[in-house]
């Protein structure tokens, strides 16, 4: 098939420049925010590698909400040693997971709190975080969307 010639280097440069809001999106500030729609073990492993590559100076808070049909324990495990405080949120709808069930998928030794919605978990993380800390929002498109709609991210 005839087409316009496009050098491989140009294609690679274009791919490298693409970004998807909510996919390992770093929002700088006194408290860095990382938004990631990661909701399965492979995606959370990639998020964990990203966080390890640029560790926070202070504490890391995780705002997480996941759908009930996801592999919670395997998905949360890569972040277990990278997160200081877990803020687990209920997700709405028939498929929405419950915060209390997410807590059961985490090691008993970690700091956790449950919230009726993502906005409540986000507000708590923002209130607790101080300069140098990081807030990681992940677990579902719904989780990231709720934080973005809450209007607190630039």
């Amino acid at each position: 098939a005839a087409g316009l010639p496009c050098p491989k280097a140009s294609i690679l440069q274009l791919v490298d420049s693409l970004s998807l809001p909510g996919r390992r999106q770093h929002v700088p500030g006194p408290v860095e925010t990382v938004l990631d729609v990661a909701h399965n073990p492979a995606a959370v492993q990639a998020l964990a590698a990203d966080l390890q590559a640029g560790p926070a100076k202070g504490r890391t808070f995780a705002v997480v909400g996941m759908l009930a049909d996801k592999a919670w324990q395997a998905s949360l495990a890569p972040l277990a040693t990278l997160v200081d405080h877990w803020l687990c949120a209920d997700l709405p709808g028939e498929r929405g997971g419950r915060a209390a069930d997410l807590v059961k998928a985490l090691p008993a030794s970690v700091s956790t709190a449950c919230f009726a919605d993502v906005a409540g978990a986000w507000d708590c993380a923002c209130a607790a975080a101080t300069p140098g800390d990081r807030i990681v929002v992940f677990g579902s498109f719904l989780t990231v969307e709720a934080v973005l709609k809450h209007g607190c991210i630039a």
Side-chain angles (χ1 to χ4, degrees):
L4 296 174
C6 189
K8 183 178 179 180
S10 296
I11 294 170
L12 293 174
Q13 182 180 9
L14 175 64
V15 170
D16 283 344
S17 71
L18 295 176
S19 68
L20 174 65
R23 181 67 178 123
R24 283 190 282 176
Q25 177 182 351
H26 290 256
V27 181
V31 174
E32 179 190 21
T33 300
V34 179
L35 303 165
D36 198 335
V37 298
H39 57 273
N40 62 50
V44 177
Q45 184 63 50
L47 171 60
D50 186 47
L51 297 177
Q52 284 177 318
K57 291 179 177 137
R59 302 166 296 169
T60 296
F61 295 83
V63 172
V64 60
M66 296 183 79
L67 295 175
D69 59 356
K70 300 302 175 190
W72 293 354
Q73 193 162 12
S75 294
L76 299 176
L79 293 176
T81 61
L82 302 176
V83 171
D84 298 295
H85 304 286
W86 291 86
L87 308 170
C88 301
D90 291 351
L91 288 185
E94 219 173 270
R95 291 181 56 215
R98 300 291 157 242
D101 294 329
L102 276 171
V103 167
K104 292 175 190 173
L106 290 165
S109 61
V110 301
S111 169
T112 61
C114 294
F115 296 86
D117 57 28
V118 173
W122 170 253
D123 287 342
C124 182
C126 290
T130 58
D133 290 344
R134 171 172 51 199
I135 302 172
V136 180
V137 179
F138 79 102
S140 173
F141 284 88
L142 296 173
T143 307
V144 170
E145 177 186 38
V147 168
L148 291 173
K149 282 187 173 180
H150 197 54
C152 300
I153 301 287

